[in-house]
Amino acid sequence: MSLKHQAIKDAALIAVLASILFVQQLALSFLPNIQFSMLLVVLYTKVLGFKKTSLIVIIHVMVINILSPFGPVIPMHIPSMLVAWLIVPILLTTVFKKVERVFTLASLGLLFGFIYGWAFIPVSVLVTGIPFWEYLYMDLIFELIMGISNFLTIYWLYEPLKKMLISQRDKYYHDFKA
Amino acid sequence: MKGIALKVIVSLIVLSIAAFLVHYFFIQNQASNDGTFHLVIMDASETIVYEGDLEFFEGDTFYDVLDRNFELTTQPPTFLGIVIIGIENDEFTILTNFTDDFLAIEVYEDGAYRKTAEGAVLIEPEDGQLYRLRVEQVSEGPSS
């Protein structure tokens, strides 16, 4: 497969997976912080690697902020959101590269729920003037909900989805080669 | 089968811990004893339309006390409680639209009123405390 064809295949795959990420988040927007996004980002990172997942995350953050009625309250939250989501592939391909056990990944998902919330603190405190401790305290419950949602979705769905995605990925690239 | 049973048990433990923490967050917002607090309500022109002491009882939230003493207009219950957008009695009426303006809840601390980070349902009334409800324009930005 030539580099050009490989790039086309990659672009199509990234677009499809970013769409899945976007649609599920939009569909679940009425539930505060309950979503499959963390599961999908962890899954994409483990199956596709850092580069493709980062592109998916960048597309997702751009699209969710342009198209979603539940996008950021202020545009200055966009960098926070981008950093918050990019932390996942960065950590999973560096510090936690060797982590494969589903329970450990689910526990990291729980932790990411809090890290995601904390990523919004600098802008919220410095730009909107919300007091730091009050923000930290009031956001804890949402971080907890996101963390629990991350834990349960990764714990139950990561393994079957990983098998399916690997098989689809191999088939996708193999079919092209053939 | 054993793996699924383990997953169910772990999930139930995690959910129980989460439920306990969420419950803890809510239950501590109820008054632990009876008392009174002082309330000031200001309209959009910063005119005081109400000032007085309100009695509360053990188990009340700040919202419960307001609801007992005034007619409240609220947004539909959200995840973290109820948003008060209007308040009135026989002598005054305040109604915000929660888009251009809203009812800020403030508590008196260290010599000045400070906006609370919590909604009325999450505020635990404290005996002798001073509270203020004030119409704030969204464009006003953070209060000092």
Side-chain angles (χ1 to χ4, degrees), chain B residues 63-95:
Chain B
Y63 174 84
D64 295 329
V65 184
L66 294 181
D67 194 35
R68 207 162 36 237
N69 290 278
F70 301 96
E71 195 172 322
L72 302 177
T73 306
T74 60
Q75 291 272 29
T78 60
F79 173 69
L80 266 185
I82 301 162
V83 179
I84 301 172
I85 58 168
I87 185 166
E88 65 178 284
N89 66 9
D90 294 338
E91 292 160 9
F92 74 92
T93 300
I94 289 176
L95 184 63

mmCIF file of all heavy atoms in Angstrom, chain B residues 63-95:
data_model
loop_
_atom_site.group_PDB
_atom_site.id
_atom_site.type_symbol
_atom_site.label_atom_id
_atom_site.label_comp_id
_atom_site.label_asym_id
_atom_site.label_seq_id
_atom_site.Cartn_x
_atom_site.Cartn_y
_atom_site.Cartn_z
ATOM 1 N N TYR B 63 -33.448 26.958 50.249
ATOM 2 C CA TYR B 63 -34.573 26.973 49.315
ATOM 3 C C TYR B 63 -35.892 26.754 50.065
ATOM 4 O O TYR B 63 -36.895 27.428 49.792
ATOM 5 C CB TYR B 63 -34.390 25.890 48.243
ATOM 6 C CG TYR B 63 -35.576 25.754 47.328
ATOM 7 C CD1 TYR B 63 -35.709 26.583 46.223
ATOM 8 C CD2 TYR B 63 -36.584 24.824 47.585
ATOM 9 C CE1 TYR B 63 -36.811 26.490 45.393
ATOM 10 C CE2 TYR B 63 -37.685 24.721 46.763
ATOM 11 C CZ TYR B 63 -37.803 25.553 45.669
ATOM 12 O OH TYR B 63 -38.893 25.462 44.861
ATOM 13 N N ASP B 64 -35.895 25.802 51.013
ATOM 14 C CA ASP B 64 -37.120 25.499 51.761
ATOM 15 C C ASP B 64 -37.645 26.751 52.473
ATOM 16 O O ASP B 64 -38.846 27.007 52.495
ATOM 17 C CB ASP B 64 -36.856 24.395 52.798
ATOM 18 C CG ASP B 64 -36.498 23.072 52.144
ATOM 19 O OD1 ASP B 64 -36.995 22.818 51.030
ATOM 20 O OD2 ASP B 64 -35.714 22.310 52.741
ATOM 21 N N VAL B 65 -36.723 27.511 53.046
ATOM 22 C CA VAL B 65 -37.118 28.712 53.802
ATOM 23 C C VAL B 65 -37.713 29.758 52.847
ATOM 24 O O VAL B 65 -38.756 30.349 53.131
ATOM 25 C CB VAL B 65 -35.900 29.301 54.546
ATOM 26 C CG1 VAL B 65 -36.327 30.489 55.408
ATOM 27 C CG2 VAL B 65 -35.246 28.238 55.411
ATOM 28 N N LEU B 66 -37.049 29.946 51.706
ATOM 29 C CA LEU B 66 -37.571 30.913 50.726
ATOM 30 C C LEU B 66 -38.934 30.471 50.221
ATOM 31 O O LEU B 66 -39.862 31.272 50.086
ATOM 32 C CB LEU B 66 -36.610 31.047 49.543
ATOM 33 C CG LEU B 66 -35.235 31.666 49.813
ATOM 34 C CD1 LEU B 66 -34.440 31.737 48.512
ATOM 35 C CD2 LEU B 66 -35.369 33.056 50.422
ATOM 36 N N ASP B 67 -39.057 29.183 49.962
ATOM 37 C CA ASP B 67 -40.305 28.650 49.418
ATOM 38 C C ASP B 67 -41.467 28.818 50.395
ATOM 39 O O ASP B 67 -42.615 29.002 50.001
ATOM 40 C CB ASP B 67 -40.093 27.163 49.079
ATOM 41 C CG ASP B 67 -41.204 26.616 48.211
ATOM 42 O OD1 ASP B 67 -41.719 27.380 47.359
ATOM 43 O OD2 ASP B 67 -41.584 25.453 48.385
ATOM 44 N N ARG B 68 -41.171 28.775 51.689
ATOM 45 C CA ARG B 68 -42.211 28.896 52.710
ATOM 46 C C ARG B 68 -42.662 30.355 52.871
ATOM 47 O O ARG B 68 -43.788 30.620 53.242
ATOM 48 C CB ARG B 68 -41.655 28.377 54.042
ATOM 49 C CG ARG B 68 -42.716 27.848 54.963
ATOM 50 C CD ARG B 68 -42.196 26.955 56.068
ATOM 51 N NE ARG B 68 -40.924 27.317 56.615
ATOM 52 C CZ ARG B 68 -39.875 26.500 56.650
ATOM 53 N NH1 ARG B 68 -39.975 25.284 56.171
ATOM 54 N NH2 ARG B 68 -38.737 26.885 57.169
ATOM 55 N N ASN B 69 -41.755 31.278 52.578
ATOM 56 C CA ASN B 69 -42.041 32.690 52.852
ATOM 57 C C ASN B 69 -42.388 33.528 51.628
ATOM 58 O O ASN B 69 -42.895 34.630 51.762
ATOM 59 C CB ASN B 69 -40.844 33.327 53.564
ATOM 60 C CG ASN B 69 -40.694 32.804 54.983
ATOM 61 O OD1 ASN B 69 -41.359 33.272 55.892
ATOM 62 N ND2 ASN B 69 -39.848 31.797 55.156
ATOM 63 N N PHE B 70 -42.045 33.013 50.445
ATOM 64 C CA PHE B 70 -42.289 33.781 49.214
ATOM 65 C C PHE B 70 -42.887 32.865 48.155
ATOM 66 O O PHE B 70 -42.851 31.637 48.282
ATOM 67 C CB PHE B 70 -40.970 34.364 48.679
ATOM 68 C CG PHE B 70 -40.270 35.272 49.635
ATOM 69 C CD1 PHE B 70 -39.257 34.785 50.459
ATOM 70 C CD2 PHE B 70 -40.616 36.614 49.729
ATOM 71 C CE1 PHE B 70 -38.604 35.614 51.347
ATOM 72 C CE2 PHE B 70 -39.956 37.447 50.622
ATOM 73 C CZ PHE B 70 -38.956 36.946 51.434
ATOM 74 N N GLU B 71 -43.373 33.513 47.111
ATOM 75 C CA GLU B 71 -43.793 32.735 45.941
ATOM 76 C C GLU B 71 -42.612 32.715 44.964
ATOM 77 O O GLU B 71 -42.166 33.783 44.515
ATOM 78 C CB GLU B 71 -45.013 33.386 45.294
ATOM 79 C CG GLU B 71 -45.702 32.457 44.323
ATOM 80 C CD GLU B 71 -47.018 33.032 43.820
ATOM 81 O OE1 GLU B 71 -47.736 33.668 44.626
ATOM 82 O OE2 GLU B 71 -47.291 32.866 42.631
ATOM 83 N N LEU B 72 -42.130 31.536 44.679
ATOM 84 C CA LEU B 72 -40.931 31.419 43.854
ATOM 85 C C LEU B 72 -41.272 30.991 42.434
ATOM 86 O O LEU B 72 -42.191 30.201 42.216
ATOM 87 C CB LEU B 72 -39.964 30.389 44.455
ATOM 88 C CG LEU B 72 -39.491 30.642 45.892
ATOM 89 C CD1 LEU B 72 -38.602 29.486 46.358
ATOM 90 C CD2 LEU B 72 -38.748 31.957 46.005
ATOM 91 N N THR B 73 -40.526 31.526 41.484
ATOM 92 C CA THR B 73 -40.602 31.036 40.107
ATOM 93 C C THR B 73 -39.289 30.309 39.845
ATOM 94 O O THR B 73 -38.207 30.866 40.075
ATOM 95 C CB THR B 73 -40.732 32.201 39.106
ATOM 96 O OG1 THR B 73 -41.846 32.995 39.496
ATOM 97 C CG2 THR B 73 -40.932 31.674 37.692
ATOM 98 N N THR B 74 -39.392 29.077 39.417
ATOM 99 C CA THR B 74 -38.170 28.285 39.257
ATOM 100 C C THR B 74 -38.068 27.695 37.859
ATOM 101 O O THR B 74 -39.066 27.522 37.161
ATOM 102 C CB THR B 74 -38.139 27.116 40.264
ATOM 103 O OG1 THR B 74 -39.268 26.285 40.037
ATOM 104 C CG2 THR B 74 -38.127 27.624 41.685
ATOM 105 N N GLN B 75 -36.833 27.403 37.493
ATOM 106 C CA GLN B 75 -36.596 26.619 36.283
ATOM 107 C C GLN B 75 -36.921 25.173 36.650
ATOM 108 O O GLN B 75 -36.872 24.811 37.820
ATOM 109 C CB GLN B 75 -35.115 26.693 35.897
ATOM 110 C CG GLN B 75 -34.666 28.055 35.396
ATOM 111 C CD GLN B 75 -34.869 28.206 33.912
ATOM 112 O OE1 GLN B 75 -35.767 27.604 33.351
ATOM 113 N NE2 GLN B 75 -34.061 29.021 33.276
ATOM 114 N N PRO B 76 -37.216 24.339 35.669
ATOM 115 C CA PRO B 76 -37.432 22.930 35.988
ATOM 116 C C PRO B 76 -36.227 22.387 36.744
ATOM 117 O O PRO B 76 -35.099 22.836 36.506
ATOM 118 C CB PRO B 76 -37.542 22.279 34.613
ATOM 119 C CG PRO B 76 -37.917 23.364 33.690
ATOM 120 C CD PRO B 76 -37.329 24.616 34.247
ATOM 121 N N PRO B 77 -36.445 21.441 37.666
ATOM 122 C CA PRO B 77 -35.328 20.911 38.441
ATOM 123 C C PRO B 77 -34.200 20.428 37.532
ATOM 124 O O PRO B 77 -34.436 19.737 36.551
ATOM 125 C CB PRO B 77 -35.950 19.733 39.188
ATOM 126 C CG PRO B 77 -37.379 20.063 39.269
ATOM 127 C CD PRO B 77 -37.707 20.820 38.016
ATOM 128 N N THR B 78 -33.006 20.868 37.856
ATOM 129 C CA THR B 78 -31.846 20.399 37.113
ATOM 130 C C THR B 78 -31.182 19.320 37.936
ATOM 131 O O THR B 78 -31.668 18.962 39.003
ATOM 132 C CB THR B 78 -30.855 21.553 36.876
ATOM 133 O OG1 THR B 78 -30.450 22.044 38.150
ATOM 134 C CG2 THR B 78 -31.485 22.665 36.064
ATOM 135 N N PHE B 79 -30.056 18.866 37.440
ATOM 136 C CA PHE B 79 -29.379 17.774 38.131
ATOM 137 C C PHE B 79 -29.020 18.135 39.567
ATOM 138 O O PHE B 79 -29.130 17.332 40.471
ATOM 139 C CB PHE B 79 -28.119 17.397 37.359
ATOM 140 C CG PHE B 79 -27.284 16.404 38.088
ATOM 141 C CD1 PHE B 79 -27.726 15.115 38.243
ATOM 142 C CD2 PHE B 79 -26.082 16.775 38.647
ATOM 143 C CE1 PHE B 79 -26.979 14.197 38.932
ATOM 144 C CE2 PHE B 79 -25.325 15.862 39.336
ATOM 145 C CZ PHE B 79 -25.773 14.573 39.476
ATOM 146 N N LEU B 80 -28.569 19.348 39.759
ATOM 147 C CA LEU B 80 -28.116 19.727 41.099
ATOM 148 C C LEU B 80 -29.147 20.551 41.846
ATOM 149 O O LEU B 80 -28.810 21.279 42.752
ATOM 150 C CB LEU B 80 -26.814 20.512 41.003
ATOM 151 C CG LEU B 80 -25.546 19.684 41.146
ATOM 152 C CD1 LEU B 80 -24.325 20.578 41.152
ATOM 153 C CD2 LEU B 80 -25.563 18.840 42.397
ATOM 154 N N GLY B 81 -30.400 20.461 41.477
ATOM 155 C CA GLY B 81 -31.418 21.158 42.229
ATOM 156 C C GLY B 81 -32.268 22.071 41.387
ATOM 157 O O GLY B 81 -32.432 21.861 40.190
ATOM 158 N N ILE B 82 -32.774 23.110 42.041
ATOM 159 C CA ILE B 82 -33.737 23.995 41.398
ATOM 160 C C ILE B 82 -33.136 25.384 41.276
ATOM 161 O O ILE B 82 -32.509 25.875 42.207
ATOM 162 C CB ILE B 82 -35.026 24.040 42.246
ATOM 163 C CG1 ILE B 82 -35.613 22.615 42.370
ATOM 164 C CG2 ILE B 82 -36.035 24.989 41.661
ATOM 165 C CD1 ILE B 82 -36.592 22.472 43.503
ATOM 166 N N VAL B 83 -33.323 26.002 40.127
ATOM 167 C CA VAL B 83 -32.815 27.355 39.924
ATOM 168 C C VAL B 83 -33.961 28.342 40.134
ATOM 169 O O VAL B 83 -34.990 28.252 39.464
ATOM 170 C CB VAL B 83 -32.246 27.523 38.499
ATOM 171 C CG1 VAL B 83 -31.748 28.952 38.297
ATOM 172 C CG2 VAL B 83 -31.112 26.533 38.264
ATOM 173 N N ILE B 84 -33.789 29.269 41.070
ATOM 174 C CA ILE B 84 -34.813 30.288 41.320
ATOM 175 C C ILE B 84 -34.585 31.446 40.348
ATOM 176 O O ILE B 84 -33.517 32.051 40.346
ATOM 177 C CB ILE B 84 -34.729 30.808 42.768
ATOM 178 C CG1 ILE B 84 -34.929 29.655 43.759
ATOM 179 C CG2 ILE B 84 -35.760 31.900 43.013
ATOM 180 C CD1 ILE B 84 -34.664 30.044 45.204
ATOM 181 N N ILE B 85 -35.581 31.731 39.519
ATOM 182 C CA ILE B 85 -35.431 32.852 38.577
ATOM 183 C C ILE B 85 -36.351 34.023 38.949
ATOM 184 O O ILE B 85 -36.198 35.109 38.428
ATOM 185 C CB ILE B 85 -35.692 32.417 37.114
ATOM 186 C CG1 ILE B 85 -37.096 31.833 36.955
ATOM 187 C CG2 ILE B 85 -34.636 31.439 36.634
ATOM 188 C CD1 ILE B 85 -37.494 31.654 35.507
ATOM 189 N N GLY B 86 -37.297 33.765 39.862
ATOM 190 C CA GLY B 86 -38.186 34.844 40.278
ATOM 191 C C GLY B 86 -38.631 34.661 41.718
ATOM 192 O O GLY B 86 -38.669 33.529 42.228
ATOM 193 N N ILE B 87 -38.920 35.785 42.376
ATOM 194 C CA ILE B 87 -39.379 35.725 43.773
ATOM 195 C C ILE B 87 -40.352 36.882 43.991
ATOM 196 O O ILE B 87 -40.146 37.976 43.465
ATOM 197 C CB ILE B 87 -38.173 35.784 44.743
ATOM 198 C CG1 ILE B 87 -38.629 35.596 46.189
ATOM 199 C CG2 ILE B 87 -37.355 37.059 44.581
ATOM 200 C CD1 ILE B 87 -37.485 35.311 47.147
ATOM 201 N N GLU B 88 -41.417 36.620 44.703
ATOM 202 C CA GLU B 88 -42.382 37.698 44.946
ATOM 203 C C GLU B 88 -43.176 37.455 46.214
ATOM 204 O O GLU B 88 -43.260 36.331 46.724
ATOM 205 C CB GLU B 88 -43.342 37.815 43.745
ATOM 206 C CG GLU B 88 -44.233 36.605 43.534
ATOM 207 C CD GLU B 88 -45.186 36.814 42.360
ATOM 208 O OE1 GLU B 88 -46.175 37.552 42.518
ATOM 209 O OE2 GLU B 88 -44.902 36.214 41.301
ATOM 210 N N ASN B 89 -43.730 38.528 46.755
ATOM 211 C CA ASN B 89 -44.757 38.448 47.794
ATOM 212 C C ASN B 89 -45.800 39.517 47.464
ATOM 213 O O ASN B 89 -45.848 39.990 46.335
ATOM 214 C CB ASN B 89 -44.148 38.568 49.197
ATOM 215 C CG ASN B 89 -43.534 39.922 49.463
ATOM 216 O OD1 ASN B 89 -43.698 40.851 48.672
ATOM 217 N ND2 ASN B 89 -42.816 40.044 50.570
ATOM 218 N N ASP B 90 -46.585 39.925 48.431
ATOM 219 C CA ASP B 90 -47.653 40.902 48.136
ATOM 220 C C ASP B 90 -47.094 42.281 47.792
ATOM 221 O O ASP B 90 -47.780 43.109 47.184
ATOM 222 C CB ASP B 90 -48.596 41.019 49.350
ATOM 223 C CG ASP B 90 -49.344 39.719 49.594
ATOM 224 O OD1 ASP B 90 -49.458 38.932 48.620
ATOM 225 O OD2 ASP B 90 -49.780 39.466 50.736
ATOM 226 N N GLU B 91 -45.853 42.529 48.175
ATOM 227 C CA GLU B 91 -45.312 43.887 48.032
ATOM 228 C C GLU B 91 -44.319 44.066 46.887
ATOM 229 O O GLU B 91 -44.040 45.189 46.466
ATOM 230 C CB GLU B 91 -44.644 44.302 49.348
ATOM 231 C CG GLU B 91 -45.654 44.485 50.469
ATOM 232 C CD GLU B 91 -45.028 44.407 51.857
ATOM 233 O OE1 GLU B 91 -43.780 44.374 51.954
ATOM 234 O OE2 GLU B 91 -45.797 44.355 52.825
ATOM 235 N N PHE B 92 -43.758 43.006 46.408
ATOM 236 C CA PHE B 92 -42.787 43.148 45.309
ATOM 237 C C PHE B 92 -42.804 41.907 44.423
ATOM 238 O O PHE B 92 -43.254 40.834 44.830
ATOM 239 C CB PHE B 92 -41.356 43.364 45.860
ATOM 240 C CG PHE B 92 -40.742 42.117 46.428
ATOM 241 C CD1 PHE B 92 -39.967 41.272 45.627
ATOM 242 C CD2 PHE B 92 -40.949 41.749 47.757
ATOM 243 C CE1 PHE B 92 -39.403 40.119 46.147
ATOM 244 C CE2 PHE B 92 -40.396 40.603 48.277
ATOM 245 C CZ PHE B 92 -39.619 39.784 47.471
ATOM 246 N N THR B 93 -42.324 42.101 43.234
ATOM 247 C CA THR B 93 -42.172 40.990 42.281
ATOM 248 C C THR B 93 -40.840 41.141 41.557
ATOM 249 O O THR B 93 -40.548 42.214 41.024
ATOM 250 C CB THR B 93 -43.307 40.994 41.233
ATOM 251 O OG1 THR B 93 -44.548 40.851 41.925
ATOM 252 C CG2 THR B 93 -43.145 39.840 40.251
ATOM 253 N N ILE B 94 -40.063 40.098 41.570
ATOM 254 C CA ILE B 94 -38.811 40.089 40.801
ATOM 255 C C ILE B 94 -38.829 38.855 39.908
ATOM 256 O O ILE B 94 -39.081 37.742 40.386
ATOM 257 C CB ILE B 94 -37.574 40.043 41.734
ATOM 258 C CG1 ILE B 94 -37.399 41.372 42.456
ATOM 259 C CG2 ILE B 94 -36.310 39.703 40.941
ATOM 260 C CD1 ILE B 94 -36.259 41.384 43.453
ATOM 261 N N LEU B 95 -38.589 39.081 38.628
ATOM 262 C CA LEU B 95 -38.539 37.943 37.704
ATOM 263 C C LEU B 95 -37.371 38.144 36.736
ATOM 264 O O LEU B 95 -37.282 39.179 36.075
ATOM 265 C CB LEU B 95 -39.854 37.826 36.927
ATOM 266 C CG LEU B 95 -39.962 36.620 35.997
ATOM 267 C CD1 LEU B 95 -39.903 35.311 36.787
ATOM 268 C CD2 LEU B 95 -41.256 36.671 35.184
#
